[in-house]
Short mmCIF file of all heavy atoms in Angstrom, two decimals:
data_model
loop_
_atom_site.label_atom_id
_atom_site.label_comp_id
_atom_site.label_asym_id
_atom_site.label_seq_id
_atom_site.Cartn_x
_atom_site.Cartn_y
_atom_site.Cartn_z
N ALA A 15 29.82 -19.67 -0.06
CA ALA A 15 28.92 -19.50 1.08
C ALA A 15 28.72 -18.01 1.35
O ALA A 15 29.55 -17.19 0.95
CB ALA A 15 29.52 -20.16 2.32
N GLN A 16 27.65 -17.72 2.07
CA GLN A 16 27.37 -16.29 2.32
C GLN A 16 28.50 -15.61 3.07
O GLN A 16 28.87 -14.48 2.76
CB GLN A 16 26.04 -16.15 3.11
CG GLN A 16 25.53 -14.70 3.19
CD GLN A 16 25.26 -14.09 1.83
OE1 GLN A 16 24.54 -14.64 1.01
NE2 GLN A 16 25.87 -12.93 1.55
N TRP A 17 29.08 -16.29 4.07
CA TRP A 17 30.17 -15.67 4.83
C TRP A 17 31.34 -15.32 3.91
O TRP A 17 31.95 -14.27 4.06
CB TRP A 17 30.64 -16.58 5.98
CG TRP A 17 31.22 -17.88 5.55
CD1 TRP A 17 30.61 -19.09 5.49
CD2 TRP A 17 32.58 -18.09 5.10
NE1 TRP A 17 31.46 -20.06 5.01
CE2 TRP A 17 32.67 -19.47 4.76
CE3 TRP A 17 33.70 -17.29 4.91
CZ2 TRP A 17 33.85 -20.05 4.28
CZ3 TRP A 17 34.88 -17.88 4.43
CH2 TRP A 17 34.95 -19.24 4.12
N SER A 18 31.60 -16.18 2.95
CA SER A 18 32.73 -15.94 2.04
C SER A 18 32.40 -14.80 1.08
O SER A 18 33.23 -13.92 0.83
CB SER A 18 33.05 -17.22 1.27
OG SER A 18 34.12 -16.98 0.38
N ARG A 19 31.15 -14.78 0.59
CA ARG A 19 30.75 -13.67 -0.29
C ARG A 19 30.82 -12.35 0.47
O ARG A 19 31.32 -11.35 -0.06
CB ARG A 19 29.31 -13.92 -0.81
CG ARG A 19 29.23 -15.12 -1.76
CD ARG A 19 27.87 -15.20 -2.45
NE ARG A 19 26.77 -15.55 -1.58
CZ ARG A 19 26.37 -16.78 -1.29
NH1 ARG A 19 27.00 -17.82 -1.79
NH2 ARG A 19 25.34 -17.00 -0.49
N ASN A 20 30.40 -12.36 1.74
CA ASN A 20 30.49 -11.14 2.53
C ASN A 20 31.94 -10.70 2.69
O ASN A 20 32.27 -9.52 2.61
CB ASN A 20 29.91 -11.35 3.93
CG ASN A 20 28.39 -11.50 3.90
OD1 ASN A 20 27.75 -11.22 2.89
ND2 ASN A 20 27.84 -11.96 5.02
N MET A 21 32.79 -11.68 2.92
CA MET A 21 34.21 -11.38 3.20
C MET A 21 34.90 -10.70 2.02
O MET A 21 35.74 -9.85 2.21
CB MET A 21 34.89 -12.72 3.54
CG MET A 21 36.32 -12.61 4.00
SD MET A 21 36.94 -14.23 4.53
CE MET A 21 37.08 -15.10 2.97
N VAL A 22 34.52 -11.09 0.82
CA VAL A 22 35.21 -10.53 -0.36
C VAL A 22 34.40 -9.41 -1.04
O VAL A 22 34.83 -8.90 -2.07
CB VAL A 22 35.56 -11.62 -1.39
CG1 VAL A 22 36.46 -12.67 -0.78
CG2 VAL A 22 34.30 -12.27 -1.99
N ALA A 23 33.24 -9.05 -0.44
CA ALA A 23 32.39 -8.04 -1.10
C ALA A 23 33.14 -6.72 -1.25
O ALA A 23 33.81 -6.26 -0.34
CB ALA A 23 31.12 -7.85 -0.30
N GLU A 24 33.02 -6.11 -2.40
CA GLU A 24 33.70 -4.82 -2.65
C GLU A 24 32.90 -3.63 -2.16
O GLU A 24 33.46 -2.57 -1.92
CB GLU A 24 33.95 -4.68 -4.17
CG GLU A 24 34.89 -5.72 -4.74
CD GLU A 24 34.95 -5.64 -6.26
OE1 GLU A 24 35.05 -4.52 -6.79
OE2 GLU A 24 34.87 -6.70 -6.90
N HIS A 25 31.60 -3.77 -2.10
CA HIS A 25 30.74 -2.65 -1.72
C HIS A 25 29.62 -3.11 -0.83
O HIS A 25 29.17 -4.26 -0.92
CB HIS A 25 30.16 -1.95 -2.96
CG HIS A 25 31.21 -1.43 -3.86
ND1 HIS A 25 31.88 -0.26 -3.62
CD2 HIS A 25 31.77 -1.95 -4.99
CE1 HIS A 25 32.78 -0.08 -4.55
NE2 HIS A 25 32.74 -1.08 -5.39
N CYS A 26 29.15 -2.22 0.03
CA CYS A 26 27.97 -2.54 0.82
C CYS A 26 27.22 -1.25 1.11
O CYS A 26 27.73 -0.14 0.84
CB CYS A 26 28.37 -3.22 2.13
SG CYS A 26 29.28 -2.13 3.22
N ILE A 27 26.03 -1.39 1.63
CA ILE A 27 25.24 -0.22 1.95
C ILE A 27 24.98 -0.24 3.45
O ILE A 27 24.77 -1.31 4.03
CB ILE A 27 23.92 -0.19 1.13
CG1 ILE A 27 23.18 1.12 1.30
CG2 ILE A 27 23.00 -1.35 1.48
CD1 ILE A 27 23.42 2.09 0.19
N SER A 28 25.04 0.93 4.09
CA SER A 28 24.69 0.98 5.49
C SER A 28 23.73 2.14 5.69
O SER A 28 23.62 3.02 4.82
CB SER A 28 25.93 1.16 6.35
OG SER A 28 26.28 2.51 6.43
N PRO A 29 22.99 2.17 6.81
CA PRO A 29 22.02 3.26 7.01
C PRO A 29 22.65 4.64 6.88
O PRO A 29 21.99 5.59 6.45
CB PRO A 29 21.50 3.00 8.43
CG PRO A 29 21.66 1.53 8.62
CD PRO A 29 22.93 1.17 7.90
N SER A 30 23.93 4.77 7.23
CA SER A 30 24.57 6.08 7.16
C SER A 30 24.79 6.57 5.72
O SER A 30 25.22 7.70 5.49
CB SER A 30 25.86 6.10 7.94
OG SER A 30 26.74 5.12 7.45
N ASP A 31 24.50 5.72 4.75
CA ASP A 31 24.59 6.13 3.33
C ASP A 31 23.25 6.69 2.83
O ASP A 31 23.17 7.13 1.67
CB ASP A 31 24.91 4.92 2.45
CG ASP A 31 26.26 4.30 2.78
OD1 ASP A 31 27.21 5.05 3.00
OD2 ASP A 31 26.32 3.05 2.83
N LEU A 32 22.22 6.61 3.66
CA LEU A 32 20.88 6.90 3.14
C LEU A 32 20.34 8.25 3.61
O LEU A 32 20.56 8.67 4.75
CB LEU A 32 19.89 5.81 3.61
CG LEU A 32 20.28 4.37 3.25
CD1 LEU A 32 19.29 3.41 3.86
CD2 LEU A 32 20.34 4.19 1.74
N VAL A 33 19.64 8.93 2.73
CA VAL A 33 18.92 10.14 3.09
C VAL A 33 17.44 9.88 2.79
O VAL A 33 17.10 9.37 1.70
CB VAL A 33 19.41 11.36 2.27
CG1 VAL A 33 18.51 12.57 2.51
CG2 VAL A 33 20.85 11.70 2.62
N LEU A 34 16.59 10.25 3.73
CA LEU A 34 15.15 10.05 3.55
C LEU A 34 14.47 11.31 3.05
O LEU A 34 14.42 12.30 3.76
CB LEU A 34 14.51 9.63 4.89
CG LEU A 34 12.98 9.56 4.87
CD1 LEU A 34 12.49 8.36 4.04
CD2 LEU A 34 12.41 9.46 6.30
#
Side-chain angles (χ1 to χ4, degrees):
Q16 190 60 52
W17 63 263
S18 179
R19 293 190 291 272
N20 289 348
M21 187 174 70
V22 300
E24 296 173 44
H25 300 281
C26 66
I27 189 98
S28 85
S30 58
D31 298 317
L32 305 176
V33 172
L34 173 70

